[in-house]
Amino acid sequence: AKRIFVYSKSTELTFFRAANDWAFPIHFFLAKTGVRPGEAAHLLIEEVDLDAGWMEIRNKRDLGWRIKTGRERRIPLIDEVVQVLRRVIGSRTAGPVFVREKFKVEGSSLANTPYDRLIAAAARRIAAAEGDEKTSLTREQQSRVFRGVWRDAGVLRRDAIRNSFMRINADVGLPTATCPKSWRHSFATLLQDAN
C-alpha cells in the first residue's frame, strides 16, 4: 500500500532543496496547487493565464485523456507558482507546461503545438492507421495513437513524477513517502488548517 505523508513546512523545504532543476518546478507546482500528477502532466500552456493568475484543469477527450473525476475546474495561482511557471514555459506558446526531462523541443514535430493542432495530428494518425488496417481502430488502438501524440508533444509520464518524488524523498531520509499525491493531501490539510 502507498503511504500518504503530510509534509510539514520544514520537511517541504528540505524536499525542495534536494530537487534538481527539472523536478523542482513540478513538485513545487503540485504542492502549491493541489492538482493530481496526471493533471499536471496533461496541463497545456493554453490553459494557464499567468497574467491573471489562474489555470484551468480540463478534460482532453479528443486526445484520449480525462480528469480522474471528470470535473473540470479553475484554480488560482499564487505569485510564487506564477514565477516558477514563467521559467518552465519560457518562450514556448503551446503544448504541455511540463515536458520530459530530456525532451528536445526542437527535435519533435509536435513540440510547442496548440491543442487544436494536436487533435488534428491525432485524427490524421488515426485515419492513417485505419487506412492501413482497412477497419476502425479499437479503443486500445486509438489509445496508443493518443499516447504517441502526447509523447511527441513532450508530455511527461506520471511514472516520471512518481520516480522523481521517491528519489528525492529517499535522498532526504523519507524512503517510505512514495506517493506524489501526498502533495495533494498536504495542500488540502494546509487549507483546512488555515480555515
Side-chain angles (χ1 to χ4, degrees):
K2 296 175 185 170
R3 182 170 171 223
I4 301 296
F5 183 87
V6 177
Y7 287 83
S8 66
K9 276 291 184 194
S10 63
T11 306
E12 184 180 282
L13 289 172
T14 303
F15 178 94
F16 288 134
R17 284 187 189 117
N20 66 22
D21 290 343
W22 174 79
F24 170 81
I26 297 165
H27 294 294
F28 186 80
F29 177 81
L30 291 173
K32 302 303 178 186
T33 62
V35 302
R36 295 174 180 92
E39 294 168 347
H42 291 88
L43 180 66
L44 299 175
I45 293 170
E46 304 95 288
E47 297 169 325
V48 178
D49 184 344
L50 296 177
D51 294 330
W54 287 89
M55 70 175 174
E56 296 181 47
I57 302 297
R58 293 190 293 202
N59 291 304
K60 296 162 187 77
R61 287 185 175 91
D62 294 327
L63 289 175
W65 184 82
R66 68 181 286 278
I67 301 164
K68 180 179 179 179
T69 62
R71 289 187 41 213
E72 297 180 342
R73 63 197 188 281
R74 284 177 46 108
I75 299 174
L77 301 172
I78 61 172
D79 290 339
E80 293 84 356
V81 171
V82 169
Q83 292 171 21
V84 167
L85 290 178
R86 284 191 196 284
R87 273 187 294 160
V88 168
I89 293 169
S91 63
R92 293 181 297 130
T93 58
V97 170
F98 301 103
V99 294
R100 294 187 306 277
E101 189 168 13
K102 299 191 187 313
F103 181 69
K104 303 282 189 237
V105 172
E106 61 280 346
S108 174
S109 61
L110 293 180
N112 205 27
T113 301
Y115 181 59
D116 59 339
R117 288 185 37 216
L118 291 174
I119 294 170
R124 282 192 305 275
R125 291 179 184 192
I126 288 171
E130 287 176 341
D132 293 344
E133 298 291 323
K134 296 184 178 35
T135 183
S136 295
L137 296 183
T138 64
R139 194 174 291 173
E140 177 56 37
Q141 290 169 321
Q142 283 186 0
S143 181
R144 265 187 254 132
V145 170
F146 292 140
R147 283 193 305 268
V149 169
W150 282 112
R151 181 194 61 240
D152 293 347
V155 77
L156 62 112
R157 295 178 52 209
R158 285 183 311 186
D159 287 348
I161 296 172
R162 183 166 186 260
N163 291 339
S164 167
F165 184 83
M166 291 188 313
R167 181 185 44 73
I168 296 167
N169 276 312
D171 289 350
V172 299
L174 297 169
T176 60
T178 61
C179 189
K181 72 178 176 182
S182 295
W183 290 129
R184 185 171 173 81
H185 294 271
S186 293
F187 180 79
T189 300
L190 291 171
L191 284 177
Q192 287 172 345
D193 289 348
N195 201 16

